[in-house]
Amino acid sequence: MDTKGLFMNRIDAAFANLAAADRKALVAYLTAGYPDFDTSLEILKQVCGAGADILEIGVPFSDPTCDGPIIQASSETALKSGMSLSKSIELAAALRQSVETPIVMFSYYNPVFRYGVKRFAEEISRAGVDGVLIVDLPPEEAGDLVEALAGKEIHIIRLAAPTTRPERIRMLAGGAGGFLYLISRTGVTGTGGLDPAAIALHAAAVKKVCPHPVCIGFGISNSDDARALAPLADGIIVGSALMRVLSKADDFAAIPALAAAKIRELRVGMDAAGMCAKS
Amino acid sequence: MTNKLIGQYPDKSGHFGCYGGRFVGETLMAALADLENAWNDASKDVVFDRQFREMLANYAGRPTPLDFAERLSEHVGGARIYLKREDCAHTGAHKINNVIGQGLLARRMGKMKVIAETGAGQHGVATATIAARFGMSCKVFMGAEDVRRQAPNVLRMRLLGAEVVPVTCGTSTLKDAMNEALRYWVAEVEDTFYVIGTVSGPHPYPVMVRDFQRVIGDEARRQALEQIGRVPDLLVACVGGGSNAMGLFYPFLDDRCEMLGAEAAGEGLDTPRHAASISGGQPGALHGAMTYLLQNDEGQIHEAWSISAGLDYPGVGPEHAFLHDLGRVRYAGITDREAVEAFKLLCRYEGIIPALESSHALAAAIKEAAGRPKEQAVVVCLSGRGDKDLDHVTAYMKENKLWP
Ligand SMILES: Cc1ncc(COP(=O)(O)O)c(C=O)c1O
C-alpha cells in the first residue's frame, strides 16, 4: 500500500481506530441525490452524527443491474431530481466541508467511463473521497481506473461473492485497498435472505487470506442481523434497509432524522454483539 | 483486405479491440468462467458439433434458401437482390440457431433451468421452444410495454410452457428485460443458464452467439458460389444487438465483399426517437460489454425507440463496434417509414411478409441496389417472418397513408 506523505487514508484510519476500540465498522450506503440534492446532503451529515463509520455514496444509474427494487427506485427518484455523477461528486465535496468520515464513491462503470476515468479520479480526489467501488468493474477490466488513481490517496474497494472461488478471493484481496466487500448471498442488493451459518464459514475463509478489513453487505435489515453478522467480520454494510426507511417518510424534511434513527438502531445491535462476545 | 479477421478476435479476455470484455458484478464472474470453459470444450467436441448440425437440419429446417428476388430487383432497377431466407427456419426467425446451440450447451452443463430476455418475443419464443424440446423449465423476461405490443408471441411462449415475466422497471422495454434477467441470474446462478438472444452481453456470449449464428453466412457463402458463381458484392443485415448480421457477415470478413448494417433510425437520427447505437451513440459499458450505447453526457442510458420491437435496444454487440471502427462494415440508419415501405414492397413483389426488423435490412439493400449495376449481387438477411407484426404494420400504414 501507498504510504507516501503524512496523510493516512481516512478508511485506513477509521479501521485502525475501530480496532483499537474493539468495535466493528458500520458502513452506510445512501443513494446520492435521493430524494434531492439538499436533503441528501443533510441525510449524509446526520448519518455520520448518528454513528456511521464509513459512507458509501451511490451514484444513481439508469440501469442498476446489481441492485434490487429499493435501490432501483431510489436511483430513479434521484435521477429525476437531476442527479448525475458530476453532482454526486459535488455532493461528496460539500459533505467533506463539514465531516471527516471516510467517503466511498459507489458507481456503475458507465457514468465513470463516459465522464472520463482520469477526470473522475482527479475530481473525487479534490472532493476528498477516500475510496471507489465500481460494482460492475472486475479487476480484469479495471486497468484504466487503477492507473488513474495511482499516486492518489484513494482505495479501490473490491467485492467478493459467495460464488467467488478461493484462488480468486486471494487475487481480489491482494489487489484491494481499504476493505474487502464481502457479498453475503447470491443475488442483488435488497433486504433479507441471510444465512448466518453459511456467511460465517465464508467470512472466515476470506478473512484468512485477506490482508485488509472485511465488511459484510447485502440483505442486512435490522439490529438482529447486525448483531448476528458484525462479529463475523470487521464491519457490516447497510444500504437497502436504510433507503427503504427513507422512502417511507411523509415529507423530505423528516428523512434525515429517520436515517439517523435507523443508524442508531443498527449500532445498538452491533455493540450488543460486541458485549456478548466479551462476556 | 490486407489483415485477416476471421479467427483473430476476440482476444482471450473477450475483447474486440477496446470493446467487449466482462463488465459484471463479482457474483457472476464464476458462472461466466464456467460458461467459457464449457463453451471452449464443446466447440472442440465433434459430438457436440454433430448434435448441433443435426438439430439445425432436422428441427430448424436448415439450410434456409438463398432466394433471388427477381421481381423486386427489376422494380428497383439496379443490382440483383438475393434473400437469405431465415424466415423459413423453425419459429420464423434466425433466433432458433442460437438457442439450439445454447440449449445443447445448457444440457451439457447439467442446467435444466433456462432464462431469457426478449423484446419482440422472437428470442423468447425460440428459447421457450428449445426448453420444451429439451424438457427444461423456462422463464422469459419481457418489458411490460412489449408484452402489450407483442401479444401473439406472449401466447406462443405460454403455449410452449414458458413463464413470461412482465418487467415494469425503467422503460419497460428490452433493456429493462435484460436488466431483470441479469438480476434474476445473479440470484439463481448456481443452477440456471442464461440464454442471451444476441451477440451482446459479457464474454463469452458475443463470440459464442456469433459462432452459433455463423451458419447463416456459411450457408450463404456456399449458396452464393453455386448460384452467382462468386462472393456477393454487398451483404446487408439489420442490427438490433446484431446477431443475424454477425452470423451473415462473419464468414465473409476476409473476402472482397462490402457489408452494411441497417440500424433502426426510428423517426430520424436527428430526433431522440431512434435506436441507432452506432450511428447515434457513444462508447460505454452496459449489460456486461463495452460497446456503442445511446446515452447522455453523464453516462445515463437513453430509451431506444423503433417501430420494430426487436431493434428497440440502446446498445449493440461489441464486435459490431469493433468492425465499425475498423471501417470493415458500414452502418446506416433506416427510418420506420422506410422500413414499412420496404415491408410493403416485399409483400407485393415477392409474396413474402418480412419481419419489421428484416424490413430495415431490406430498405437499406434497396437503396444500395438502386445505385449499382445489374452485374452486382446484393445478399440481404431476411432474418424473420412478419406475422407477429401485422397489427402494428397495418396500423402504421393506415396512419401514414401507405395502405393498402
Ligand atoms: C426477425 C428478427 N430480426 C432481427 C432481430 C434483431 O436481433 P439481432 O440484431 O440480434 O439479429 C430480431 C430480434 O428480435 C428479430 O426478431
Side-chain angles (χ1 to χ4, degrees):
Chain A
M1 201 186 308
D2 202 0
T3 51
K4 71 177 168 36
L6 295 173
F7 183 78
M8 186 180 191
N9 179 294
R10 292 186 191 86
I11 300 171
D12 299 333
F15 278 107
N17 292 337
L18 285 162
D22 203 12
R23 295 179 79 206
K24 306 291 181 168
L26 176 55
V27 183
Y29 165 95
L30 288 143
T31 303
Y34 177 88
D36 62 21
F37 187 97
D38 293 338
T39 313
S40 181
L41 180 58
E42 188 54 31
I43 296 169
L44 288 161
K45 286 181 187 167
Q46 296 218 12
V47 159
C48 292
D53 299 296
I54 298 174
L55 294 173
E56 257 185 48
I57 299 189
V59 178
F61 182 47
S62 53
D63 296 79
T65 52
C66 302
D67 284 300
I70 298 169
I71 293 178
Q72 286 172 44
S74 66
S75 302
E76 223 169 289
T77 304
L79 288 172
K80 282 204 187 107
S81 84
M83 208 54 190
S84 59
L85 175 57
S86 53
K87 294 229 175 75
S88 303
I89 299 172
E90 269 176 46
L91 182 70
L95 181 67
R96 186 51 82 225
Q97 301 296 312
S98 57
V99 307
E100 274 303 306
T101 308
I103 298 174
V104 174
M105 255 338 220
F106 173 103
S107 184
Y108 287 81
Y109 190 49
N110 196 54
V112 172
F113 178 79
R114 187 79 193 110
Y115 201 69
V117 177
K118 263 184 88 166
R119 176 177 164 213
F120 169 75
E122 269 149 32
E123 292 189 9
I124 61 170
S125 172
R126 220 173 304 133
V129 166
D130 310 288
V132 289
L133 193 171
I134 311 285
V135 65
D136 57 351
L137 189 72
E140 289 85 344
E141 303 286 355
D144 290 350
L145 185 68
V146 170
E147 194 176 308
L149 289 174
K152 297 193 162 50
E153 275 296 340
I154 297 178
H155 289 312
I156 297 180
I157 312 295
R158 299 240 196 261
L159 301 109
T163 51
T164 310
R165 292 175 187 136
E167 70 278 16
R168 188 170 168 86
I169 289 177
R170 257 188 294 275
M171 181 275 275
L172 288 165
F179 62 93
L180 185 73
Y181 190 132
L182 186 71
I183 300 174
S184 63
R185 52 163 168 72
T186 59
V188 293
T189 58
T191 53
L194 296 175
D195 175 355
I199 298 168
L201 279 176
H202 192 213
V206 169
K207 278 193 66 67
K208 217 180 281 168
V209 299
C210 183
H212 307 290
V214 174
C215 295
I216 302 172
F218 281 35
I220 298 174
S221 305
N222 51 39
S223 68
D224 287 347
D225 294 341
R227 181 197 304 249
L229 298 194
L232 306 180
D234 303 294
I236 59 168
I237 303 152
V238 181
S240 295
L242 202 48
M243 297 311 297
R244 187 175 56 193
V245 168
L246 310 195
S247 72
K248 299 275 194 280
D250 295 326
D251 61 84
F252 290 5
I255 295 180
L258 283 176
K262 184 71 187 175
I263 292 294
R264 279 192 292 270
E265 174 202 325
L266 293 160
R267 190 79 253 177
V268 167
M270 291 169 71
D271 293 347
M275 283 160 62
C276 294
K278 258 170 259 161
S279 62
Chain B
M1 280 283 100
T2 45
N3 291 328
K4 295 270 182 238
L5 289 169
I6 294 175
Q8 302 300 305
Y9 298 93
D11 67 13
K12 273 203 162 51
S13 55
H15 291 89
F16 301 87
C18 59
Y19 301 107
R22 210 174 254 173
F23 294 83
V24 296
E26 182 57 34
T27 308
L28 291 180
M29 290 300 282
L32 291 169
D34 289 348
L35 177 62
E36 184 184 0
N37 290 336
W39 164 237
N40 284 342
D41 265 9
S43 61
K44 289 184 206 103
D45 178 1
V46 290
V47 177
F48 183 86
D49 187 65
R50 196 179 63 231
Q51 288 172 336
F52 180 56
R53 303 285 150 201
E54 276 175 12
M55 280 196 75
L56 286 179
N58 302 331
Y59 189 60
R62 302 201 73 91
T64 60
L66 182 69
D67 180 21
F68 176 38
E70 188 172 5
R71 287 193 70 228
L72 180 68
S73 303
E74 265 170 30
H75 170 77
V76 172
R80 283 171 300 153
I81 298 172
Y82 290 78
L83 308 172
K84 179 59 178 164
R85 297 284 308 274
E86 293 302 298
D87 60 315
C88 296
H90 179 42
T91 72
H94 70 292
K95 300 281 177 186
I96 191 75
N97 305 327
N98 170 42
V99 298
I100 289 175
Q102 290 195 49
L104 284 167
L105 193 59
R107 197 173 66 175
R108 189 182 159 100
M109 292 173 77
K111 303 211 175 188
M112 296 302 278
K113 293 182 187 167
V114 298
I115 59 168
E117 83 294 336
T118 199
Q122 289 303 106
H123 174 58
V125 166
T127 307
T129 298
I130 208 71
R133 179 75 172 198
F134 286 161
M136 294 168 167
S137 82
C138 177
K139 257 192 190 15
V140 180
F141 295 86
M142 188 170 189
E145 180 62 21
D146 291 331
V147 169
R148 194 183 57 74
R149 284 197 285 188
Q150 307 286 329
N153 273 342
V154 174
L155 275 181
R156 290 165 81 194
M157 287 185 265
R158 293 196 170 133
L159 270 174
L160 292 161
E163 180 191 347
V164 178
V165 184
V167 175
T168 52
C169 58
T171 57
S172 300
T173 60
L174 179 54
K175 89 173 165 74
D176 308 287
M178 191 146 181
N179 289 342
E180 206 54 27
L182 281 165
R183 290 182 189 119
Y184 181 88
W185 196 34
V186 171
E188 306 294 329
V189 63
E190 306 282 359
D191 63 354
T192 301
F193 190 104
Y194 182 12
V195 183
I196 292 184
T198 188
V199 285
S200 64
H203 180 60
Y205 284 100
V207 58
M208 181 173 76
V209 175
R210 176 251 275 165
D211 286 353
F212 289 141
Q213 289 290 7
R214 68 171 287 172
V215 64
I216 302 172
D218 284 329
E219 286 175 10
R221 197 170 183 282
R222 201 170 60 238
Q223 291 162 325
L225 294 179
E226 278 165 26
Q227 293 179 31
I228 312 170
R230 61 189 171 82
V231 162
D233 300 279
L234 172 69
L235 306 176
V236 186
C238 69
V239 178
S243 66
N244 86 90
M246 272 325 303
L248 176 65
F249 295 168
Y250 188 72
F252 291 93
L253 281 178
D254 295 337
D255 290 315
R256 286 180 62 88
C257 170
E258 285 178 66
M259 298 177 189
L260 175 62
E263 294 193 292
E267 296 183 353
L269 290 180
D270 52 350
T271 75
R273 284 162 75 85
H274 66 77
S277 315
I278 293 180
S279 311
Q282 297 88 25
L286 180 70
H287 294 154
M290 182 65 66
T291 186
Y292 280 90
L293 303 174
L294 299 180
Q295 55 181 320
N296 69 15
D297 291 343
E298 293 258 6
Q300 305 293 338
I301 307 302
H302 282 313
E303 183 174 3
W305 203 90
S306 166
I307 189 173
S308 140
L311 302 181
D312 203 352
Y313 179 67
V316 64
E319 192 164 8
H320 284 290
F322 173 70
L323 293 171
H324 166 266
D325 286 10
L326 272 187
R328 180 65 189 91
V329 180
R330 272 186 299 139
Y331 295 83
I334 293 295
T335 62
D336 291 347
R337 187 181 179 95
E338 290 171 324
V340 172
E341 284 170 351
F343 177 102
K344 191 171 160 183
L345 281 178
L346 198 69
C347 293
R348 294 303 175 83
Y349 283 90
E350 299 294 344
I352 298 169
I353 301 175
L356 268 177
E357 292 80 11
S358 322
S359 302
H360 286 72
L362 210 54
I366 289 170
K367 277 191 193 175
E368 286 284 327
R372 292 171 187 252
K374 280 207 298 294
E375 295 68 41
Q376 289 208 7
V378 176
V379 169
V380 190
C381 189
L382 201 71
S383 55
R385 52 192 282 168
D387 309 49
K388 68 184 175 64
D389 296 316
L390 292 188
D391 286 352
H392 230 63
V393 175
T394 49
Y396 184 93
M397 284 178 166
K398 284 173 184 163
E399 261 168 48
N400 293 276
K401 306 197 166 41
L402 293 165
W403 182 266

